[in-house]
């Protein structure tokens, strides 16, 4: 961690300056060579606001509403720590319904559930403090938070003060945000009893619109919660998390 916000700013500028070149030299050629070798009908593109992402465009077999585009986004956040992480077993959702068919499995190295939870919870907290939605496909964070709350991981995640503090400390250096009054958002407070993830007013309406678009494109597997039920689940989560921090 940097010693000060000033140093954090210098690190951020260095990342923004050097990361695009690193991606272009070390990552893009490897993926492009694989696409060519396997004769795959896909196109690779370096982009993003800071040229810190790779977009893998592929031809879609079917067209939905357009909410989810036929592209895989590879993000290279030079300011992320990637800690803590763990090996996680991944299986196909349909596997349990077709036992006579063999489906692939994987064991990727992923961010821990606790880190994922606190990253998304603080992002939702910022949204509520600012009262505005930054982009489409943002409602997924509330869905993921509610899903984690319904999982067997929630009890441990909710009380993991070490990871919560690490996320607050990291974002306080590298992702400084201000609320509607121009005050710097206090991530430490958000992770120690003052988390707010249920939006109100125009922010709630914007989130509802984004969530409806997500459901319309049939992104969800199974029966997804209605928007009202989703916010009820998040309100319950908010109460439990804040209570656990006291």
């Amino acid at each position: 961690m940097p010693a000060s916000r000033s140093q954090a700013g210098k690190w951020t500028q260095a990342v923004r300056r050097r990361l695009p070149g690193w991606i272009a030299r070390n990552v893009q050629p490897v993926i492009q060579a694989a696409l060519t070798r396997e004769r795959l009908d896909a196109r690779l593109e370096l982009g993003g606001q800071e040229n810190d992402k790779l977009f893998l465009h592929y031809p879609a077999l079917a067209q939905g509403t357009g909410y989810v585009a036929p592209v895989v986004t590879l993000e290279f956040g030079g300011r992320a720590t990637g800690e803590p992480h763990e090996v996680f077993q991944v299986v196909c959702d349909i596997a349990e319904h077709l036992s006579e068919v063999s489906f692939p499995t994987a064991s990727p190295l992923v961010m821990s559930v606790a880190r994922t939870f606190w990253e998304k919870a603080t992002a939702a907290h910022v949204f509520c403090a600012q009262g505005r939605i930054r982009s489409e496909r943002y409602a997924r964070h509330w869905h993921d938070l509610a899903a984690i709350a319904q999982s067997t991981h929630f009890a441990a995640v909710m009380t993991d003060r070490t990871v919560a503090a690490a996320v607050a400390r990291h974002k306080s250096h590298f992702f400084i945000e201000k609320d509607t009054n121009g005050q710097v958002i206090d991530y430490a407070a958000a992770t120690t009893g003052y988390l707010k993830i249920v939006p109100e007013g125009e922010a709630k309406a914007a989130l509802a619109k984004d969530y409806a678009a997500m459901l319309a494109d049939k992104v969800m597997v199974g029966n997804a919660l209605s928007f009202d039920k989703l916010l009820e689940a998040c309100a319950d989560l908010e109460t439990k998390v804040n209570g656990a921090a006291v």
Side-chain angles (χ1 to χ4, degrees), residues 67 124 127-128 133 138-143 146 150 197-216 220 223-236:
Y67 184 81
F127 171 79
C128 291
I133 198 163
Y138 206 67
R140 58 192 169 87
H141 296 308
W142 280 260
H143 165 270
Q150 294 172 359
I197 62 171
V198 180
E200 301 171 348
E202 293 182 3
K204 179 181 177 180
L207 189 65
K209 182 179 179 180
D210 191 66
Y211 188 69
M214 184 173 73
L215 296 186
M220 314 308 301
N223 297 320
L225 294 174
S226 67
F227 184 69
D228 288 341
K229 290 296 183 182
L230 177 70
L231 290 194
E232 286 180 15
C234 287
D236 181 63

Side-chain angles (χ1 to χ4, degrees), residues 75-86:
E75 297 181 310
F76 299 86
R79 290 171 289 172
T81 67
E83 301 289 346
H85 56 257
E86 59 188 334

